[in-house]
């Protein structure tokens, strides 16, 4: 059967092609061609429609390919990596929606991370990011002194709420613990130790490794048979990023929604509530579960109204990656945009990520975490 | 800010004090939405003009603007344009920057007006009309409509990066055009900020006979006659059924004739694409029965009864060898794959597409003469084509060429374009079917319009006495 380039060899002819040695070697697989960043820089922005930053900010500067273009110009020495350029390179939610549409399977976030690292080293990263990193470095927690330093003791099940929950949504942690109890797990919380994901997305690889090692150690000493987390970013870090650093992680790390989905049946009382849902980008793209939340809600007996963008076309809440630290106003505008869209479907929104809940709540939304909804349906106290 | 970028096109600059005066006028209203930051200026120095990819790789951009603004309402656009116009500062509207001819390049410096912050949508469901601000993203609009059981039917390959305003400004057309038409068939009403800053509104009607159709003046005007801020578009029910079919013919001519017969019988497929031998090999190499021949793919869509009747016509008139649904599915999966340009430009390959149109009586002649003319330019590796937008009167031929120039890439590029445009004019073809004029096609605009060029020049002078709107376009 003819291959991808047979037509070129046949129609152009070997003789002409040999006079174009780069082309010839490329199609013969002997040459890798340009770097991924350069290819992305030369793309006409074929994922722009999916990028929340690009849609809401509206600037070419912060569009997926626009950021890659600036990155390429910096790498090639045509443009300096000053604060202005660094700000554009940080205008990203690390949501990976771009990868979903990219025929190259690029994630702009990933392509730009090395340059973010360089801007940190050169003291050019946005001030909010610098403050975040210095808190992480000093306290191992994004917001300064941790509010709680709960540590579990040997064996059993560990509940890992994640820093956003601990800092901003303690009631969510309570509901999650109550839910675990209802499901028959006697879980103990582990709090005040960041998984390192914010440092990872900020581009500070060394700090990420340090934080990851710290959490891995804390978990190792607790020896849990199961870790349940509320934040899909933490699950992604523990499940997918830690092993690539050679760190040992507990045998099972599950997001609350994944644990719920494993239950055979729910003794719940059902509800007549009309609810819509927001699929968190990390659950959809990083954990590869585009339909999990919706399926769970249907099984819980909720009357579900689909929002316009959902599943593998979800739209990040605005609080992904380090955007709320580097571009707080833009992050809130994205949250309002998404919330408006969700409200077209229903007043009450269920999600499965504390950052999404925080983003929407701060911008006037009525939002329940899936743990809070589940507790109220499965007979516990009212959630959220 | 220090940078080592060269500006390739910049002809004249705007005196700094005029730029400052402009900023003083608009800043109190726009605030942060008026920028002179370098990261913004460099990001608006170009669109998707393929030759500029080669420039960019060498640290050259077409031209830097002096400022970029992001208005959020028609009134803000009017403020920006009237300030710029009274100061004689060039204004360049900018949508998605997916134009492929340098149309949005701020050649003379001045201010780029990005419309992407204007993106509200309003649906008049009973009337099958949607109102969209100019900056609405293409896919965003289509998915908004699909969620409500509707479609616009405008699916250009640049659906993801482009904007509604850009579509109207370039008179764009989509992959499903044989049924739904081009954007000009969808626009029912339009709002535009004139080069002097006044707002003109042409409200939507099913049809109207109230003097000449002035609204049409702005469709395809590429930012030279004003800034389109809002449009009213006709929408359709989302298709109930879709039928996919493909056919193999021995020659390009034979396949084109088959499509002509289908259209003459009154069938209106949404998608019809006839690929010449090279393109059949290039895009469908996995389909052995088509390899070395000419493949046609067809999508019929709409209400079931109509679509089935059309399928009957297709079956009777297409001839050739039916190849089923799979090649069409393959096209549906790969139709937004544009990896070749970013892959090959860094290898020194100069690559572009040129879309032209001709009536049935001359389309085959145009196909051959174009291929011959471009193929004989030194350095060209191949020229291929597909026909992808059909009318009862003729078709669009969409050519692709690639070459590895021995000397300056830009000179090579211009030689190819010259050969292509001359061949098209000699065959009585339209030099652009849907990409527009921009900066790349301006040398041939006068010839293409003949006596009509004077009309264009007078309209331009009347609407834009100070010549501020997209100066350099078409000139
Ligand atoms: C990969 C790819 C595939 C493409 N496929 C197609 C296709 O299938 N069909 C097709 O027709 N085209 C296609 N194009 C060309 C291009 O996408 C279209 O011309 C599109 O309509 C441009 O829209 P934009 O919003 O990106 O406009 P821009 O590139 O930003 O601007 C184009 C021109 O219009 C002017 N302009 C933009 N917005 C306004 C406004 N609101 N008011 C006045 N003037 C304005 C600009 O000044 C410029 O002159 C393709 C391009 C690419 C890169
Ligand atoms: S991520 Fe892929 S689709 Fe998006 S701009 Fe880069 S190359 Fe294009
Ligand atoms: S990761 Fe998300 S925010 Fe960042 S460029 Fe991709 S789509 Fe945009």
């Amino acid at each position: 059967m003819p291959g991808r380039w047979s037509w070129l060899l046949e129609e152009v002819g070997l003789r002409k092609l040999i006079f174009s040695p780069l082309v010839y070697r490329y199609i013969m697989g002997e040459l890798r061609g340009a770097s991924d960043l350069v290819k992305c820089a030369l793309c006409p922005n074929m994922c722009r429609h999916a990028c929340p930053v690009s849609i809401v900010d509206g600037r070419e500067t912060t569009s997926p390919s626009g950021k890659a273009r600036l990155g390429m110009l910096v790498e090639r020495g045509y443009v300096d990596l000053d604060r202005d350029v660094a700000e554009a390179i940080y205008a990203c939610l690390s949501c990976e929606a771009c990868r979903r549409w990219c025929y190259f399977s690029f994630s702009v976030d990933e392509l730009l991370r090395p340059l973010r690292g360089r801007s940190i080293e050169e003291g050019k990263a946005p001030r909010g990011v610098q403050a975040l990193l210095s808190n992480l470095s000093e306290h191992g927690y994004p917001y300064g002194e941790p509010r709680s330093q709960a540590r579990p003791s040997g064996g059993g099940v560990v509940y890992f709420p994640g820093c956003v929950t601990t800092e901003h949504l303690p009631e969510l942690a309570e509901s999650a613990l109550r839910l675990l109890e209802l499901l028959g797990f006697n879980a103990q919380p582990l709090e005040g130790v960041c998984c390192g994901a914010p440092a990872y997305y900020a581009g500070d690889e060394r700090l990420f490794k340090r934080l990851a090692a710290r959490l891995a150690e804390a978990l190792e000493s607790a020896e849990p048979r199961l870790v349940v987390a509320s934040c899909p970013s933490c699950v992604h870090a523990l499940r997918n990023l830690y092993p690539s650093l050679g760190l040992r992680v507990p045998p099972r790390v599950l997001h609350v929604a994944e644990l719920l989905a494993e239950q055979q049946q729910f003794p719940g009382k059902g509800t007549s509530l009309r609810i819509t849902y927001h699929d968190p980008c990390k659950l959809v793209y990083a954990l590869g579960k585009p339909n999990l939340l919706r399926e769970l809600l249907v099984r819980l007996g909720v009357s579900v109204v689909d929002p316009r963008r959902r599943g593998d076309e979800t739209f990040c809440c605005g609080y992904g990656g380090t955007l709320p630290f580097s571009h707080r106003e833009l992050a809130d505008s994205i949250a309002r945009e998404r919330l408006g869209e969700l409200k077209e479907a229903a007043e009450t929104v269920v999600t499965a990520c504390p950052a999404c809940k925080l983003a929407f709540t701060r911008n006037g939304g009525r939002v329940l975490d899936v743990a809070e909804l589940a507790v109220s349906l499965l007979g516990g106290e009212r959630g959220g | 800010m220090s940078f080592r970028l060269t500006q390739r096109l910049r002809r004249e600059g705007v005196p700094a004090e005029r730029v400052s005066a402009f900023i003083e006028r608009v800043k109190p209203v726009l605030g942060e939405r008026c920028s002179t930051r370098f990261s913004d200026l460099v990001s608006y120095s170009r669109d998707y003009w393929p030759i500029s990819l080669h420039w960019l790789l060498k640290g050259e951009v077409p031209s830097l603007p002096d400022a970029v603004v992001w208005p959020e309402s028609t009134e803000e656009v009017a403020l920006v344009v009237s300030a710029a116009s009274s100061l004689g500062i060039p204004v360049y509207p900018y949508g998605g920057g997916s134009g492929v001819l340098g149309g949005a390049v701020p050649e003379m410096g001045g201010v780029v007006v990005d419309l992407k912050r204007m993106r509200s949508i309003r649906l008049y469901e009973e009337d099958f009309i949607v109102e969209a601000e100019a900056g609405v993203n293409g896919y965003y609009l289509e998915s908004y409509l699909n969620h409500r059981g509707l479609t616009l039917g405008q699916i250009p390959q640049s659906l993801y990066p482009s904007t509604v305003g850009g579509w109207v400004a370039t008179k764009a057309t989509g992959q499903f055009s044989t049924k739904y038409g081009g954007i000009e068939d969808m626009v029912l009403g339009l709002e535009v900020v004139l080069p002097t800053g006044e707002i003109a509104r042409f409200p939507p009607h099913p049809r109207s006979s109230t003097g000449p159709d002035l609204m049409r003046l702005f469709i395809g005007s590429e930012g030279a006659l004003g800034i389109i801020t809002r449009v009213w578009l006709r929408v359709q029910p989302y298709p109930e059924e879709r039928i996919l079919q493909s056919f193999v013919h021995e020659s390009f001519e034979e396949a084109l004739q088959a499509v002509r017969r289908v259209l003459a019988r009154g069938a209106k497929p949404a998608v019809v694409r006839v690929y010449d031998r090279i393109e059949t090999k290039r895009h469908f190499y996995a389909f052995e029965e088509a390899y070395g021949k000419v493949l046609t793919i067809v999508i019929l869509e709409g209400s079931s009864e109509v679509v089935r009747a059309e399928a009957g016509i297709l079956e009777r008139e297409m001839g050739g060898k039916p190849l089923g649904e799979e090649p069409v599915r393959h096209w549906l999966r790969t139709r937004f794959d544009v990896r070749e340009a970013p892959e090959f430009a860094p290898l020194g390959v100069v690559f572009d597409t040129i879309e032209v149109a001709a009536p049935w009586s001359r389309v085959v002649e145009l196909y051959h003469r174009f291929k011959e003319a471009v193929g004989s330019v030194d350095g060209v590796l191949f020229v291929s084509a597909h026909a992808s937008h059909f009318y009862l009167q003729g078709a669009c031929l969409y050519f692709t060429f690639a070459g590895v120039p021995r000397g300056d890439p830009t000179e090579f590029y211009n030689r190819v374009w010259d050969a292509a445009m001359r061949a098209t004019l000699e065959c009585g073809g339209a030099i652009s079917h849907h990409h527009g004029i921009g900066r790349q096609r301006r040398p041939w605009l006068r010839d293409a319009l003949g006596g009509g060029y004077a009309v264009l020049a007078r309209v331009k002078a009347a609407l834009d006495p100070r010549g501020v709107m997209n100066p350099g376009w078409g000139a």
Side-chain angles (χ1 to χ4, degrees):
Chain A
M1 196 175 80
R4 185 176 173 204
W5 303 117
S6 306
W7 69 274
L8 201 56
L9 288 162
E10 290 166 18
E11 297 289 340
V12 175
L14 205 55
R15 209 165 53 91
K16 259 195 189 172
L17 277 178
I18 285 176
F19 282 112
S20 317
L22 291 182
V23 178
Y24 181 72
R25 290 179 55 209
Y26 185 76
I27 66 170
M28 297 313 273
E30 294 167 11
L31 193 71
R32 230 194 123 247
S35 72
D36 293 352
L37 182 67
V38 170
K39 287 182 194 149
C40 184
L42 301 185
C43 169
N45 253 325
M46 294 300 277
C47 59
R48 182 210 298 278
H49 63 295
C51 173
V53 165
S54 191
I55 289 293
V56 175
D57 195 30
R59 286 195 294 163
E60 284 304 301
T61 324
T62 55
S63 67
S65 172
K67 285 179 286 210
R69 237 175 272 157
L70 285 172
M72 177 189 93
L73 292 172
V74 167
E75 270 199 350
R76 296 193 160 202
Y78 294 123
V79 163
D80 290 339
L81 181 54
D82 59 5
R83 271 194 191 280
D84 171 32
V85 171
E87 199 226 90
I89 285 174
Y90 273 95
C92 177
L93 294 153
S94 308
C95 68
E96 305 228 325
C98 39
R99 199 200 292 282
R100 146 80 176 80
W101 298 87
C102 179
Y103 281 91
F104 288 114
S105 294
F106 293 159
S107 143
V108 174
D109 175 57
E110 200 172 279
L111 297 178
L112 292 175
R113 226 174 286 133
L115 279 170
R116 293 194 197 129
R118 201 176 120 191
S119 56
I120 295 167
E121 273 166 29
E122 295 176 7
K124 298 292 171 8
R127 288 179 224 291
V129 171
Q130 282 175 336
L132 163 75
L133 294 172
S134 86
N135 278 335
L136 282 170
S137 175
E138 208 173 311
H139 306 285
Y141 188 70
Y143 311 99
E145 220 30 81
R147 282 180 192 253
S148 153
Q149 306 232 28
R151 295 285 182 279
S153 53
V157 175
V158 164
Y159 169 61
F160 189 69
C163 304
V164 174
T165 309
T166 305
E167 183 70 16
H168 298 290
L169 305 165
E171 72 286 358
L172 196 166
E174 275 169 37
S175 293
L177 281 166
R178 172 90 182 100
L179 174 67
L180 288 169
E181 196 184 310
L182 284 170
L183 296 176
F185 298 101
N186 178 17
Q188 297 179 54
L190 169 55
E191 288 183 304
V193 193
C194 177
C195 69
Y200 177 77
Y201 295 117
D204 192 335
E205 209 178 321
R206 216 171 325 145
L207 181 57
F208 169 57
K209 283 183 182 159
R210 184 146 66 84
L211 293 167
R214 210 180 122 215
L215 176 59
E217 199 184 292
L219 283 169
E220 207 165 340
S221 60
E223 287 183 77
R225 65 185 158 84
L226 172 67
V227 176
V228 181
S230 279
C231 175
S233 287
C234 304
V235 178
H236 173 55
L238 283 162
R239 190 186 291 167
N240 303 326
L241 302 178
Y242 283 23
S244 67
L245 298 177
L247 293 172
R248 267 185 44 151
V249 279
R252 295 201 82 207
V253 179
L254 291 179
H255 184 268
V256 172
E258 291 175 314
L259 181 75
L260 269 170
E262 282 186 358
Q263 307 307 306
Q264 296 300 322
Q265 58 188 40
F266 299 113
K269 47 188 183 200
T271 172
S272 57
L273 254 186
R274 261 168 68 88
I275 285 182
T276 191
Y277 56 95
H278 166 75
D279 291 307
C281 57
K282 279 282 169 287
L283 187 66
V284 170
Y285 302 118
L287 302 182
K289 303 273 166 74
N291 305 316
L292 181 78
L293 183 57
R294 186 185 194 283
E295 284 166 8
L296 192 57
L297 292 178
V298 170
R299 283 188 58 206
L300 282 165
V302 174
S303 141
V304 178
V305 188
D306 290 326
R308 178 148 65 88
R309 288 184 274 204
R310 58 179 185 276
D312 75 347
E313 291 202 24
T314 191
F315 194 81
C316 173
C317 68
Y319 276 26
T322 55
L323 200 76
F325 297 93
S326 61
H327 299 72
R328 177 63 194 271
E329 249 179 67
L330 175 59
D332 282 319
S333 305
I334 296 172
R336 283 193 294 276
E337 161 97 11
R338 176 58 171 161
L339 190 61
E341 194 171 281
L342 294 166
K343 279 186 174 170
E344 281 173 21
E347 269 306 309
T348 307
V349 180
V350 178
T351 189
C353 170
C356 306
K357 173 160 169 146
L358 181 66
F360 296 144
T361 312
R362 274 190 180 160
N363 287 286
R366 236 182 79 78
V367 189
L368 293 175
D369 185 83
V370 65
E372 294 167 326
L373 177 79
V375 165
S376 72
L377 294 181
L378 301 183
E381 77 271 21
R382 222 193 112 283
Chain B
M1 165 78 221
S2 86
F3 61 89
R4 290 153 292 280
L5 287 169
T6 314
Q7 298 183 61
R8 183 95 195 193
L9 286 194
R10 176 91 172 225
R11 284 204 254 157
E12 293 160 31
V14 180
E17 54 297 349
R18 268 201 264 161
V19 176
S20 314
F22 168 78
I23 290 169
E24 248 171 60
R25 288 267 299 271
V26 302
K27 197 89 184 169
V29 176
L30 299 183
E32 287 291 300
R33 291 184 285 109
C34 168
S35 167
T36 52
R37 284 156 48 146
F38 178 74
S39 61
D40 290 322
L41 303 186
V42 75
S43 300
Y44 288 88
S45 62
R46 62 187 286 270
D47 59 4
Y48 203 69
W49 192 2
I51 192 64
S52 71
L53 300 183
H54 293 267
W55 302 347
L56 192 69
L57 288 164
K58 287 190 294 178
E60 293 178 350
V61 293
S63 181
L64 293 166
D66 294 298
V68 184
V69 296
W70 294 268
E72 287 184 347
S73 66
T74 304
E75 289 67 31
E76 286 186 358
V77 175
L79 168 75
V80 166
V81 175
S82 68
S85 143
S86 64
L87 291 159
I89 293 178
V91 176
Y92 307 86
Y94 203 100
S98 72
V100 284
L101 297 153
V105 164
E107 188 173 2
M108 320 268 186
V111 51
V112 169
V113 182
D114 185 343
L115 280 304
K116 287 196 291 294
R117 286 272 190 142
M118 290 181 57
R119 54 195 178 82
S120 71
I121 301 178
R122 200 162 158 192
L123 182 64
Y124 302 90
E125 213 156 348
E126 191 186 355
D127 299 331
F128 288 101
I129 291 177
V130 69
E131 175 185 332
E133 280 188 304
V136 171
N137 173 274
Y139 181 82
Y140 189 95
L141 178 62
E142 182 61 20
S143 66
Y144 170 94
L145 293 171
N146 293 169
H147 188 64
R148 290 159 175 81
L150 298 165
T151 179
L152 180 61
Q154 163 80 356
I155 318 286
Q157 195 190 29
S158 55
L159 181 72
Y160 300 155
S162 61
T163 63
V164 171
W167 293 348
V168 178
T170 57
K171 202 174 178 187
T173 194
Q175 296 161 339
F176 289 59
S177 73
T178 302
K179 175 181 171 75
Y180 296 103
I183 194 73
E184 72 279 13
D185 299 307
M186 300 165 191
V187 178
L188 296 176
L190 180 150
E191 179 187 81
V192 60
V193 171
L194 298 171
T196 36
E198 301 104 311
I199 300 167
R201 258 186 179 215
F202 303 94
H205 299 290
R207 185 175 189 275
S208 78
S209 170
T210 32
D213 196 348
L214 295 173
M215 176 188 85
R216 303 225 150 231
L217 208 50
F218 299 94
I219 303 178
S221 64
E222 295 184 55
L225 300 181
I227 302 190
I228 297 157
T229 44
R230 185 186 308 274
V231 290
W232 287 268
L233 301 164
R234 144 207 115 177
V235 298
Q236 321 238 358
Y238 193 79
E240 188 182 23
E241 188 170 338
R242 201 167 260 171
I243 293 179
L244 317 180
Q245 198 40 285
S246 65
F247 303 87
V248 180
H249 289 91
E250 292 301 319
S251 72
F252 198 53
E253 291 81 338
E254 207 183 285
L256 292 179
Q257 281 309 316
V259 176
R260 183 177 172 276
R261 285 195 301 274
V262 169
L263 296 182
R265 289 289 310 275
K268 280 232 170 219
V271 176
V272 188
R273 300 172 74 87
V274 179
Y275 295 89
D276 75 355
R277 189 192 66 234
I278 298 187
E279 297 213 358
T280 299
K281 283 185 175 183
R282 178 173 152 216
H283 297 297
F284 299 93
Y285 58 86
F287 298 89
E288 266 176 83
E289 284 172 274
Y291 201 78
K293 302 194 171 160
V294 167
L295 182 74
T296 302
I297 61 166
V298 181
I299 298 180
L300 298 165
E301 66 175 41
S303 61
S304 296
E305 293 94 322
V306 176
V307 164
R308 286 185 196 166
E310 289 179 319
I313 295 178
L314 203 66
E315 204 179 310
R316 277 190 296 282
E317 302 294 348
M318 273 306 281
K321 187 175 173 350
L323 209 60
E325 295 190 351
E326 204 35 52
V328 194
R329 291 196 192 289
H330 171 77
W331 174 74
L332 285 168
R333 281 192 299 272
T334 54
R335 68 191 158 132
F336 295 114
D337 182 354
V338 295
R339 280 178 298 174
E340 284 174 353
E343 271 179 299
F344 284 94
L347 303 177
V349 178
V350 176
F351 168 101
D352 203 353
T353 58
I354 302 178
E355 24 59 70
V356 297
W360 290 114
S361 55
R362 302 202 71 180
V363 73
V364 173
E365 179 195 355
L366 174 56
Y367 172 72
H368 291 298
R369 283 180 66 174
F370 188 111
K371 280 196 66 162
E372 201 182 295
V374 171
S376 58
V377 175
D378 187 34
V380 167
L381 291 175
F382 73 87
V383 196
S384 62
H386 59 262
S388 48
H389 307 272
F390 288 91
Y391 311 86
L392 189 54
Q393 290 69 33
C396 160
L397 291 176
Y398 190 98
F399 290 94
T400 298
F401 74 86
V404 180
R406 281 179 236 284
D408 175 33
T410 310
E411 254 174 53
F412 165 78
Y413 184 72
N414 288 335
R415 271 204 303 278
V416 169
W417 267 90
D418 190 47
M421 294 294 92
R422 278 171 196 278
T424 307
L425 287 168
E426 279 162 22
C427 292
I431 62 166
S432 173
H433 175 266
H434 58 264
H435 287 163
I437 299 300
R439 281 172 172 70
Q440 182 59 27
R441 270 193 174 105
R442 56 190 170 192
W444 303 279
L445 181 60
R446 211 178 270 264
D447 279 352
L449 293 183
Y453 189 84
V455 179
L456 176 62
R458 275 182 234 165
V459 169
K460 168 76 176 167
L463 288 182
D464 186 9
R466 302 203 61 178
V468 291
M469 284 305 307
N470 203 353
W473 174 87

